[in-house]
């Protein structure tokens, strides 16, 4: 391989280093961290702030390593006389990646909620207080209106949506205790999950049993380590009111019996 071909390969490699993608990811994590800090004011449960912080630290470390790699490539190209100063701008290889646009949190939320609820549709953005959103979702869940449930969650966007677990988890814990006749523990989660799964999945079809169990564990064990659902804010938000409605119906049916 001659020097020109080697230089072209190295420049293409440097252009493929995903520094812009890391910047975009860090912006999204920063936005999520801000929302979770706001949500934490309404809940005593652990909601993943330390994990987001750790993720941002790993991103920073990756950015440092990639920058070091890019610098090493530039230094090598300079050493063989094929650096940026020796290469006209027009000689940049075709097909070099274009910096991706920043992720739109609202569009991500719309797409994720549609996927979770197995529906389609664009969001009609609504500025709605979290408490009102929670009550609207409880009503839709109680009526078994999956379409309205999806639409209200989708339209609310992430700013209000990420606050739903802080409203839902205390009620989930209270209703679980009412059903069990005592304070729920981690051992109770599988049984509660099995009793709630059908109702939850009638509203959120893509909520798998493991996701439902993780959400119940987070609520019933006050978010102890190992009980989170993997950090999917939209999925956690979608399951909260659905779980409250499922446990409420369970308690009502038992009282009637």
């Amino acid at each position: 391989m001659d020097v020109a071909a080697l230089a072209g390969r190295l420049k293409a490699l440097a252009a493929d280093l995903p520094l812009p993608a890391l910047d975009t990811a860090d912006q999204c994590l920063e936005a999520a961290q801000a929302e979770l800090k706001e949500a934490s004011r309404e809940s005593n449960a652990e909601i993943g702030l330390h994990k987001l912080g750790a993720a941002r630290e790993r991103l920073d470390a990756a950015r440092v390593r990639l920058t070091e790699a890019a610098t090493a490539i530039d230094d090598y190209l300079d050493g063989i006389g094929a650096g940026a100063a020796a290469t006209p701008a027009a000689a940049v290889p075709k097909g070099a990646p274009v910096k991706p646009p920043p992720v739109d949190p609202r569009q991500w939320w719309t797409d994720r909620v549609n996927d979770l609820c197995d529906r389609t549709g664009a969001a009609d953005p609504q500025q709605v207080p979290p408490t009102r959103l929670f009550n609207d979702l409880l009503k839709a869940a109680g009526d078994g209106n999956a379409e309205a449930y999806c639409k209200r969650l989708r339209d609310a966007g992430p700013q209000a949506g990420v606050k739903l677990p802080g409203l839902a988890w205390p009620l989930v814990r209270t209703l679980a205790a009412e059903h069990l006749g005592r304070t729920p523990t981690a051992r109770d989660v599988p049984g509660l999950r099995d009793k709630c799964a059908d109702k939850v999945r009638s509203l959120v079809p893509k909520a798998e049993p493991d996701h439902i169990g993780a959400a119940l564990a987070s609520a019933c064990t006050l978010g102890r380590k190992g009980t989170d659902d993997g950090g999917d804010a939209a999925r956690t938000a979608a399951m909260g009111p659905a779980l409250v409605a499922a446990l409420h119906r369970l308690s009502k049916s038992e009282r009637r019996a």
Side-chain angles (χ1 to χ4, degrees):
M1 181 182 294
D2 61 24
V3 172
L6 174 62
R9 290 281 297 275
L10 287 174
K11 289 176 182 179
L13 175 63
D16 282 337
L17 294 176
L19 281 167
L22 288 181
D23 290 338
T24 299
D26 192 47
Q27 290 170 12
C28 292
L29 288 174
E30 183 178 16
Q33 206 166 14
E35 294 294 343
L36 285 177
K37 283 181 181 178
E38 180 66 24
S40 68
R41 297 174 186 173
E42 304 178 26
S43 172
N44 293 324
E46 163 58 48
I47 55 176
L49 279 170
H50 70 288
K51 293 189 176 182
L52 278 179
R56 294 190 70 192
E57 289 177 3
R58 289 193 288 271
L59 276 177
D60 287 341
R63 188 183 294 106
V64 170
R65 299 294 181 270
L66 286 175
T67 301
E68 290 173 348
T71 300
I73 292 172
D74 287 341
D75 290 345
Y76 182 79
L77 288 171
D78 288 339
I80 63 175
T87 306
V92 175
K94 291 183 178 180
V98 178
K99 183 176 180 179
V103 175
D104 179 356
R106 179 171 277 280
Q107 186 58 52
W108 174 84
W109 182 271
T110 297
D111 294 340
R112 188 70 183 113
V113 170
N114 278 338
D115 178 59
L116 288 163
C117 296
D118 200 18
R119 294 181 178 274
T120 59
D124 177 17
Q126 303 288 329
Q127 294 292 332
V128 55
T131 303
R132 178 182 165 190
L133 172 63
F134 183 62
N135 289 335
D136 287 347
L137 289 170
L138 283 182
K139 183 178 187 308
D143 294 340
N145 191 337
E147 182 177 358
Y149 191 89
C150 177
K151 182 178 182 344
R152 282 168 173 74
L153 185 61
R154 182 177 62 209
D155 291 349
Q159 287 191 332
V162 297
K163 298 176 183 178
L164 289 172
L167 298 170
W169 284 181
L171 279 174
V172 167
R173 183 173 171 81
T174 297
L175 289 167
E178 183 178 315
H179 165 65
L180 296 167
R182 55 178 170 76
T183 300
T185 68
R187 292 192 300 271
D188 300 310
V189 167
L192 292 169
R193 176 201 61 205
D194 293 345
K195 292 179 179 180
C196 294
D198 288 346
K199 175 66 174 175
V200 172
R201 298 190 69 188
S202 70
L203 299 166
V204 190
K206 297 294 182 67
E208 299 296 335
D210 286 349
H211 303 154
I212 298 170
L216 280 164
S218 183
C220 293
T221 64
L222 299 180
R224 294 193 184 98
K225 185 177 179 181
T227 62
D228 66 280
D229 77 337
D232 189 326
R235 186 172 64 209
T236 306
M239 285 193 295
L243 274 170
V244 172
L247 287 165
H248 181 66
R249 187 176 69 170
L250 185 63
S251 297
K252 284 178 65 178
S253 65
E254 289 181 345
R255 284 197 294 269
R256 290 170 182 168

